């Protein structure tokens, strides 16, 4: 989110959306590949998220803001638009598979193969961006000039500004320490909202099996997928709409 300050809403929506969509992805993978082998499903559920997080450690880092980044805002919007399209396509693909009556093993494996390709397709964006920068990047001197600040602030004045920033209380959108957050009304509004909203949602998800059995449904995987998919749409729309409202 810090690396894409002008598109924080879409980034937040995509991150939250895929967290919500992961339930549908794993539930559908279970029914497609491990319907008769819950042990293998549990191993997959413990290994894959760990491998993804371990891989992400080597790539996730905060980069300093670039003065010339304003020229790339249009490109960022296009990239995040592609992310949204892929995420929605994955959600609809999972939704369509959930309504296939008793799919064969061949159909299930084809579905998994297509799903993996769709989930990996956003990797093309950084590759495309890197190749574009290498092949059509322009003059090195011009790039260096773009990165130089337009106004040089004297050192003493800079220290005074820094001291003033340290003294004042951070506003919404700026970095807070734990104690600063605990002293703000906004934190407690968010805390209570999440406690009531997310807590009840997790309670329903965790008890979906008992709810389905009580209503006479022997298989509740479709309900889990539907809940996850529509939760995904709510999350990704909230991120996009919030950014649009702020701008």
């Amino acid at each position: 989110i810090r690396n894409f300050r002008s598109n924080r809403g879409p980034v937040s929506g995509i991150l939250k959306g895929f967290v919500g969509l992961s339930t549908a992805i794993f539930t559908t993978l279970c029914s497609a590949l491990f319907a008769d082998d819950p042990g293998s499903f549990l191993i997959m559920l413990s290994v894959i998220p760990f491998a993804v997080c371990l891989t992400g450690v080597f790539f996730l880092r905060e980069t300093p803001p670039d003065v010339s980044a304003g020229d790339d805002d249009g490109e960022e919007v296009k990239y995040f638009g592609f992310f949204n399209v892929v995420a929605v396509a994955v959600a609809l693909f999972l939704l369509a598979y959930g309504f296939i009556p008793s799919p064969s093993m061949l159909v299930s494996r084809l579905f998994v193969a297509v799903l993996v390709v769709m989930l990996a397709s956003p990797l093309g964006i950084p590759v495309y961006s890197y190749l574009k920068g290498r092949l059509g990047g322009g003059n090195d001197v011009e790039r260096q000039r773009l990165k130089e600040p337009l106004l040089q602030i004297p050192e003493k004045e800079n220290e005074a500004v820094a001291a003033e920033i340290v003294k004042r209380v951070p506003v919404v959108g700026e970095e807070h320490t734990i104690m600063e957050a605990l002293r703000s009304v906004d934190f407690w509004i968010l805390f209570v909202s999440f406690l009531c909203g997310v807590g009840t949602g997790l309670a329903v998800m965790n008890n979906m099996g008992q709810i389905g059995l009580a209503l006479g449904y022997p298989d509740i995987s479709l309900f889990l997928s539907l809940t996850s998919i529509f939760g995904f749409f709510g999350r990704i729309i909230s991120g996009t709409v919030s950014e649009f409202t702020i701008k």
Side-chain angles (χ1 to χ4, degrees):
I1 288 175
R2 291 175 182 169
N3 288 343
F4 304 100
R5 294 181 182 274
S6 58
N7 290 283
R8 291 177 294 183
V11 172
S12 175
I14 290 167
L15 292 174
K16 292 189 300 176
F18 271 105
V19 169
L21 201 60
S22 63
T23 304
I25 292 172
F26 281 114
T27 302
T28 311
L29 285 176
C30 175
S31 60
L33 298 179
F34 306 109
D36 300 323
D37 190 3
S40 298
F41 172 69
L42 288 175
I43 291 175
M44 181 195 72
L45 200 60
S46 60
V47 170
I48 289 183
F50 171 73
V52 170
C53 293
L54 191 63
T55 306
V57 167
F58 297 101
F59 296 98
L60 294 177
R61 61 177 61 88
E62 184 177 357
T63 58
D66 191 353
V67 177
S68 62
D71 301 335
D72 298 331
D73 283 350
E75 289 292 322
E76 274 189 15
V77 171
K78 292 179 183 178
Y79 294 156
F80 288 123
F82 178 75
F83 271 108
N84 284 328
V85 169
V86 170
V88 171
V90 170
L92 295 176
F93 187 61
L94 291 168
L95 190 63
Y97 179 81
F99 286 99
I100 298 176
S102 303
S104 64
M105 182 57 67
L106 177 61
V107 172
S108 299
R109 288 178 177 174
L110 283 174
F111 157 78
V112 172
V114 174
L115 179 63
V116 169
V117 171
M118 293 176 71
L119 291 174
S121 61
L123 291 174
I125 291 179
V127 174
Y128 168 78
S129 179
Y130 174 76
L131 293 176
K132 183 180 177 182
R134 289 293 297 269
L135 298 177
N139 193 307
D140 290 339
V141 177
E142 292 177 357
R143 284 203 297 270
Q144 183 63 32
R145 285 177 179 172
L146 282 172
K147 292 181 180 179
E148 291 177 358
L150 297 177
L151 180 64
Q152 296 287 350
I153 302 175
E155 188 173 343
K156 291 183 179 179
E157 186 178 340
N158 201 7
E159 291 175 359
V161 172
E164 183 181 346
I165 292 174
V166 169
K167 289 178 183 177
R168 69 178 179 83
V169 177
V171 297
V172 175
E174 295 180 347
E175 294 297 321
H176 288 63
T177 64
I178 295 296
M179 295 308 298
E180 288 171 344
L182 290 174
R183 288 196 295 265
S184 66
V185 177
D186 302 274
F187 169 82
W188 291 106
I189 292 174
L190 286 170
F191 179 80
V192 174
S193 302
F194 273 87
L195 185 67
C196 298
V198 179
T200 53
L202 285 174
V204 172
M205 291 283 283
N206 288 335
N207 292 280
M208 189 67 77
Q210 292 88 336
I211 294 171
L213 291 175
L215 294 174
Y217 295 99
D219 184 15
I220 51 92
S221 60
L222 178 61
F223 297 127
L224 276 175
S225 296
L226 286 173
T227 305
S228 174
I229 288 167
F230 284 105
F232 153 78
F233 281 117
R235 293 161 187 248
I236 203 166
I237 289 172
S238 69
T240 305
V241 171
S242 68
E243 188 69 22
F244 176 77
T245 305
I246 290 171
K247 287 183 177 178

